[in-house]
Amino acid sequence: MMMTKDKTGIIPLLGYSRDQLIELLNEMGYRPFHAKQLYSWIYYRGVFEFDQMTDLSKKLREELNSRFVLQLPRIVEQVQGEDPDSASKFLFELSDGERVEAVNIPTEDRNTVCLSCQVGCAFGCTFCATGQMGLSRNMTAAEIIGSFLAIRQNSEARISNVVFMGMGEPLANLEQVMKAYDLLTDGDGIALSKRKVTISTVGIPAQIRKLAEYSPPPKLVFSISSPHDEIRREVLPLAGRYTLKSVHEALSYYAQQTRHRITIALIVAEGLNDQLEDARALHQWIDGLPSKINLLRYNDAAGSFRRADEQAIERVAAELARLGRTVILRKSRGSDVSAACGQLAAREVRSGNDGDN
Ligand code: SF4
């Protein structure tokens, strides 16, 4: 089996699936049972020191120590809002010094972790802090799962949900995101419910179709920004090239294949999508798509727009409801910790990564 060594010749084990560990330990002369024990220590119990894996033999622990390492991304900064139940944001440093974010968002009935999947993003959406950074590189499944495990270690409450809504476009790094999804939802490891993992996209039709073939699939959120193609082309320089018609067709295919309802997210910003006419155009565009609508308040610090005033947001919500749509007006959580994707990392980039402590 191909293994990637770090500069010291030590092999990072984080991100290995159960089957990969079985193969690896088999090559070392151990049985599948030992690999399953190791897998459980890493992903179920969250133990990253081989010496603490007390039901492994001393010989195996010594071998693991001499050849492998389990290393979580380093937490460079953790920002906690003032309320005890407010979001906390983590800035991680990866092994090559790149920095990414993740956010832990507790609510009354769930504890959601929002994960990044790319260092920066190539899509350049004008309303998004990450979009202003450009793409540095994709994250590996090991880095994605490492940021989840690091947050789990620091969270008192059990994590019930994961959303890929942090830095990066998940469908542009689909292979690694789905490897992380497999690890997140494996019943012998982290064991999140498959219904509790959500991928959010700005809409790449070919990748939506690819995701539809995945069984069982994650939940899908389409962040529409505007129900007008000409406005999407302005604010979504890359994703806006795909017409809303082509995205609708791909989402319909996804809904049909997976029997999932699609969530349409509209982040309401002043002058972008806060008029009654926008609500009506959105209603028309949705026609025939099994869906519900999440309205979110724009985070002023995220990019080039401003949050729409509360009355405008409520008017949009009321109009969509009047037209018969299921609408949920989401609470704004985490604005006190700059929770929109990329804000901490963008600040680090602007200041030359001098925020180290
Ligand atoms: S909104 Fe998503 S796709 Fe657009 S720039 Fe930000 S991270 Fe990338």
Side-chain angles (χ1 to χ4, degrees):
M1 126 182 240
M2 279 286 292
M3 288 177 282
T4 314
K5 295 181 181 178
D6 70 10
K7 286 180 207 138
T8 60
I10 298 286
I11 298 159
L13 265 197
L14 204 64
Y16 274 50
S17 67
R18 191 181 28 214
D19 287 349
Q20 285 175 311
L21 289 180
I22 289 173
E23 192 184 337
L24 178 71
L25 263 65
N26 181 45
E27 285 168 10
M28 293 164 61
Y30 291 91
R31 300 179 48 201
F33 167 72
H34 297 112
K36 287 177 190 165
Q37 285 176 311
L38 176 58
Y39 182 86
S40 171
W41 279 110
I42 300 169
Y43 298 108
Y44 178 66
R45 301 196 218 193
V47 170
F48 307 105
E49 297 289 341
F50 298 121
D51 285 336
Q52 291 174 13
M53 300 180 179
T54 47
D55 59 2
L56 301 185
S57 69
K58 190 158 179 276
K59 180 171 166 285
L60 174 54
R61 280 185 270 150
E62 280 171 3
E63 275 187 69
L64 290 170
N65 261 327
S66 67
R67 293 181 55 195
F68 304 101
V69 68
L70 286 166
Q71 197 161 23
L72 299 180
R74 186 169 75 89
I75 298 173
V76 176
E77 188 176 346
Q78 182 178 350
V79 185
Q80 170 79 49
E82 283 175 8
D83 291 343
D85 66 342
S86 65
S88 46
K89 187 163 201 168
F90 295 78
L91 181 65
F92 292 109
E93 186 169 272
L94 307 176
S95 57
D96 60 357
E98 294 282 11
R99 293 182 173 195
V100 294
E101 299 172 10
V103 188
N104 189 11
I105 309 164
T107 53
E108 299 78 32
D109 58 341
R110 65 181 78 168
N111 191 18
T112 302
V113 167
C114 174
L115 293 176
S116 294
C117 63
Q118 295 183 303
V119 182
C121 183
F123 278 67
C125 307
T126 59
F127 50 81
C128 167
T130 306
Q132 314 316 307
M133 297 165 64
L135 176 67
S136 181
R137 66 172 175 83
N138 282 336
M139 287 173 72
T140 63
E143 290 168 337
I144 296 169
I145 216 72
S147 42
F148 172 86
L149 292 169
I151 291 181
R152 191 177 72 173
Q153 257 191 345
N154 281 274
S155 171
E156 281 167 23
R158 195 183 74 82
I159 296 167
S160 57
N161 295 58
V162 162
V163 292
F164 284 93
M165 220 175 265
M167 295 167 65
E169 163 56 53
L171 298 191
N173 185 19
L174 189 56
E175 190 185 332
Q176 297 302 312
V177 166
M178 294 317 285
K179 276 188 188 166
Y181 170 76
D182 285 340
L183 286 169
L184 287 167
T185 57
D186 183 83
D188 293 330
I190 295 168
L192 284 180
S193 159
K194 291 186 166 78
R195 303 285 298 173
K196 307 280 180 176
V197 180
T198 301
I199 285 181
S200 173
T201 179
V202 287
I204 309 173
Q207 296 297 85
I208 292 171
R209 288 172 191 275
K210 217 181 250 185
L211 188 64
E213 304 306 328
Y214 204 89
S215 178
K219 284 167 71 179
L220 187 61
V221 173
F222 169 50
S223 182
I224 188 167
S225 302
S226 166
H228 305 289
D229 274 322
E230 62 281 11
I231 295 176
R232 275 173 53 86
R233 278 195 292 273
E234 267 175 45
V235 297
L236 305 161
L238 274 192
R241 292 180 314 184
Y242 306 111
T243 63
L244 282 163
K245 182 169 178 293
S246 66
V247 177
H248 190 288
E249 284 166 1
L251 292 174
S252 299
Y253 177 77
Y254 189 89
Q256 193 185 26
Q257 289 292 111
T258 63
R259 306 198 178 283
H260 280 194
R261 196 158 62 139
I262 311 288
T263 299
I264 310 298
L266 186 72
I267 302 174
V268 189
E270 190 178 83
L272 175 64
N273 50 26
D274 61 343
Q275 301 298 306
L276 285 180
E277 186 277 324
D278 295 309
R280 289 170 196 148
L282 177 58
H283 164 71
Q284 270 179 8
W285 175 79
I286 286 173
D287 191 34
L289 188 65
S291 59
K292 64 174 180 177
I293 302 167
N294 273 359
L295 290 186
L296 300 113
R297 295 167 178 85
Y298 183 74
N299 183 330
D300 284 335
S304 53
F305 287 91
R306 285 178 45 189
R307 176 181 295 193
D309 75 50
E310 209 51 34
Q311 283 177 344
I313 297 171
E314 280 168 18
R315 266 201 310 272
V316 168
E319 182 65 2
L320 286 164
R322 187 187 71 77
L323 291 165
R325 296 293 168 200
T326 305
V327 190
I328 299 161
L329 182 50
R330 290 275 174 209
K331 263 193 191 171
S332 174
R333 299 192 65 88
S335 56
D336 53 343
V337 294
S338 300
C341 67
Q343 287 175 1
L344 275 186
R347 193 197 68 203
E348 294 289 315
V349 167
R350 281 196 294 273
S351 63
N353 276 1
D354 60 1
D356 208 340
N357 50 15

PDB file of all heavy atoms in Angstrom, residues 174-186:
ATOM      1  N   LEU A 174     -14.498  17.309  -4.210  1.00  0.00           N
ATOM      2  CA  LEU A 174     -15.507  16.300  -3.859  1.00  0.00           C
ATOM      3  C   LEU A 174     -14.896  15.006  -3.322  1.00  0.00           C
ATOM      4  O   LEU A 174     -15.390  14.431  -2.353  1.00  0.00           O
ATOM      5  CB  LEU A 174     -16.378  16.013  -5.091  1.00  0.00           C
ATOM      6  CG  LEU A 174     -17.611  15.154  -4.857  1.00  0.00           C
ATOM      7  CD1 LEU A 174     -18.503  15.746  -3.787  1.00  0.00           C
ATOM      8  CD2 LEU A 174     -18.403  14.988  -6.154  1.00  0.00           C
ATOM      9  N   GLU A 175     -13.794  14.558  -3.935  1.00  0.00           N
ATOM     10  CA  GLU A 175     -13.241  13.264  -3.533  1.00  0.00           C
ATOM     11  C   GLU A 175     -12.810  13.285  -2.063  1.00  0.00           C
ATOM     12  O   GLU A 175     -13.149  12.383  -1.284  1.00  0.00           O
ATOM     13  CB  GLU A 175     -12.049  12.930  -4.438  1.00  0.00           C
ATOM     14  CG  GLU A 175     -11.582  11.506  -4.247  1.00  0.00           C
ATOM     15  CD  GLU A 175     -10.327  11.209  -5.047  1.00  0.00           C
ATOM     16  OE1 GLU A 175     -10.118  11.844  -6.101  1.00  0.00           O
ATOM     17  OE2 GLU A 175      -9.555  10.351  -4.586  1.00  0.00           O
ATOM     18  N   GLN A 176     -12.089  14.328  -1.670  1.00  0.00           N
ATOM     19  CA  GLN A 176     -11.600  14.393  -0.282  1.00  0.00           C
ATOM     20  C   GLN A 176     -12.757  14.649   0.694  1.00  0.00           C
ATOM     21  O   GLN A 176     -12.780  14.111   1.798  1.00  0.00           O
ATOM     22  CB  GLN A 176     -10.529  15.489  -0.148  1.00  0.00           C
ATOM     23  CG  GLN A 176      -9.281  15.225  -0.973  1.00  0.00           C
ATOM     24  CD  GLN A 176      -8.607  13.894  -0.614  1.00  0.00           C
ATOM     25  OE1 GLN A 176      -8.399  13.594   0.554  1.00  0.00           O
ATOM     26  NE2 GLN A 176      -8.277  13.098  -1.618  1.00  0.00           N
ATOM     27  N   VAL A 177     -13.710  15.465   0.275  1.00  0.00           N
ATOM     28  CA  VAL A 177     -14.871  15.732   1.140  1.00  0.00           C
ATOM     29  C   VAL A 177     -15.650  14.442   1.384  1.00  0.00           C
ATOM     30  O   VAL A 177     -16.068  14.151   2.512  1.00  0.00           O
ATOM     31  CB  VAL A 177     -15.777  16.823   0.511  1.00  0.00           C
ATOM     32  CG1 VAL A 177     -17.141  16.885   1.199  1.00  0.00           C
ATOM     33  CG2 VAL A 177     -15.093  18.184   0.595  1.00  0.00           C
ATOM     34  N   MET A 178     -15.800  13.617   0.350  1.00  0.00           N
ATOM     35  CA  MET A 178     -16.577  12.390   0.532  1.00  0.00           C
ATOM     36  C   MET A 178     -15.800  11.337   1.331  1.00  0.00           C
ATOM     37  O   MET A 178     -16.389  10.522   2.037  1.00  0.00           O
ATOM     38  CB  MET A 178     -17.042  11.838  -0.820  1.00  0.00           C
ATOM     39  CG  MET A 178     -18.045  12.751  -1.518  1.00  0.00           C
ATOM     40  SD  MET A 178     -19.329  13.424  -0.420  1.00  0.00           S
ATOM     41  CE  MET A 178     -20.377  11.999  -0.187  1.00  0.00           C
ATOM     42  N   LYS A 179     -14.459  11.373   1.236  1.00  0.00           N
ATOM     43  CA  LYS A 179     -13.677  10.490   2.121  1.00  0.00           C
ATOM     44  C   LYS A 179     -13.899  10.901   3.574  1.00  0.00           C
ATOM     45  O   LYS A 179     -14.061  10.064   4.461  1.00  0.00           O
ATOM     46  CB  LYS A 179     -12.179  10.607   1.788  1.00  0.00           C
ATOM     47  CG  LYS A 179     -11.747   9.726   0.656  1.00  0.00           C
ATOM     48  CD  LYS A 179     -10.228   9.749   0.534  1.00  0.00           C
ATOM     49  CE  LYS A 179      -9.799   9.031  -0.721  1.00  0.00           C
ATOM     50  NZ  LYS A 179      -8.408   9.290  -1.074  1.00  0.00           N
ATOM     51  N   ALA A 180     -13.898  12.215   3.805  1.00  0.00           N
ATOM     52  CA  ALA A 180     -14.147  12.708   5.169  1.00  0.00           C
ATOM     53  C   ALA A 180     -15.571  12.344   5.604  1.00  0.00           C
ATOM     54  O   ALA A 180     -15.802  11.948   6.754  1.00  0.00           O
ATOM     55  CB  ALA A 180     -13.931  14.221   5.224  1.00  0.00           C
ATOM     56  N   TYR A 181     -16.522  12.449   4.681  1.00  0.00           N
ATOM     57  CA  TYR A 181     -17.926  12.085   4.976  1.00  0.00           C
ATOM     58  C   TYR A 181     -18.017  10.619   5.414  1.00  0.00           C
ATOM     59  O   TYR A 181     -18.712  10.279   6.376  1.00  0.00           O
ATOM     60  CB  TYR A 181     -18.751  12.347   3.714  1.00  0.00           C
ATOM     61  CG  TYR A 181     -20.166  11.817   3.728  1.00  0.00           C
ATOM     62  CD1 TYR A 181     -21.172  12.456   4.447  1.00  0.00           C
ATOM     63  CD2 TYR A 181     -20.508  10.678   2.990  1.00  0.00           C
ATOM     64  CE1 TYR A 181     -22.473  11.972   4.437  1.00  0.00           C
ATOM     65  CE2 TYR A 181     -21.806  10.192   2.973  1.00  0.00           C
ATOM     66  CZ  TYR A 181     -22.785  10.840   3.696  1.00  0.00           C
ATOM     67  OH  TYR A 181     -24.073  10.360   3.684  1.00  0.00           O
ATOM     68  N   ASP A 182     -17.287   9.749   4.703  1.00  0.00           N
ATOM     69  CA  ASP A 182     -17.300   8.320   5.073  1.00  0.00           C
ATOM     70  C   ASP A 182     -16.774   8.122   6.493  1.00  0.00           C
ATOM     71  O   ASP A 182     -17.318   7.325   7.261  1.00  0.00           O
ATOM     72  CB  ASP A 182     -16.443   7.509   4.092  1.00  0.00           C
ATOM     73  CG  ASP A 182     -17.148   7.330   2.753  1.00  0.00           C
ATOM     74  OD1 ASP A 182     -18.384   7.479   2.707  1.00  0.00           O
ATOM     75  OD2 ASP A 182     -16.458   7.058   1.752  1.00  0.00           O
ATOM     76  N   LEU A 183     -15.706   8.846   6.836  1.00  0.00           N
ATOM     77  CA  LEU A 183     -15.154   8.713   8.191  1.00  0.00           C
ATOM     78  C   LEU A 183     -16.106   9.298   9.233  1.00  0.00           C
ATOM     79  O   LEU A 183     -16.275   8.750  10.319  1.00  0.00           O
ATOM     80  CB  LEU A 183     -13.792   9.418   8.277  1.00  0.00           C
ATOM     81  CG  LEU A 183     -12.630   8.686   7.589  1.00  0.00           C
ATOM     82  CD1 LEU A 183     -11.410   9.585   7.499  1.00  0.00           C
ATOM     83  CD2 LEU A 183     -12.282   7.401   8.343  1.00  0.00           C
ATOM     84  N   LEU A 184     -16.726  10.420   8.902  1.00  0.00           N
ATOM     85  CA  LEU A 184     -17.637  11.061   9.861  1.00  0.00           C
ATOM     86  C   LEU A 184     -18.837  10.178  10.178  1.00  0.00           C
ATOM     87  O   LEU A 184     -19.369  10.208  11.290  1.00  0.00           O
ATOM     88  CB  LEU A 184     -18.153  12.392   9.284  1.00  0.00           C
ATOM     89  CG  LEU A 184     -17.164  13.555   9.229  1.00  0.00           C
ATOM     90  CD1 LEU A 184     -17.711  14.687   8.359  1.00  0.00           C
ATOM     91  CD2 LEU A 184     -16.864  14.079  10.632  1.00  0.00           C
ATOM     92  N   THR A 185     -19.262   9.393   9.193  1.00  0.00           N
ATOM     93  CA  THR A 185     -20.527   8.670   9.351  1.00  0.00           C
ATOM     94  C   THR A 185     -20.339   7.166   9.587  1.00  0.00           C
ATOM     95  O   THR A 185     -21.324   6.448   9.676  1.00  0.00           O
ATOM     96  CB  THR A 185     -21.417   8.884   8.102  1.00  0.00           C
ATOM     97  OG1 THR A 185     -20.696   8.467   6.942  1.00  0.00           O
ATOM     98  CG2 THR A 185     -21.816  10.336   7.943  1.00  0.00           C
ATOM     99  N   ASP A 186     -19.096   6.712   9.686  1.00  0.00           N
ATOM    100  CA  ASP A 186     -18.887   5.282   9.920  1.00  0.00           C
ATOM    101  C   ASP A 186     -19.325   4.911  11.347  1.00  0.00           C
ATOM    102  O   ASP A 186     -18.888   5.532  12.328  1.00  0.00           O
ATOM    103  CB  ASP A 186     -17.411   4.927   9.720  1.00  0.00           C
ATOM    104  CG  ASP A 186     -17.201   3.436   9.879  1.00  0.00           C
ATOM    105  OD1 ASP A 186     -17.426   2.711   8.901  1.00  0.00           O
ATOM    106  OD2 ASP A 186     -16.861   2.989  10.995  1.00  0.00           O
TER     107      ASP A 186
END
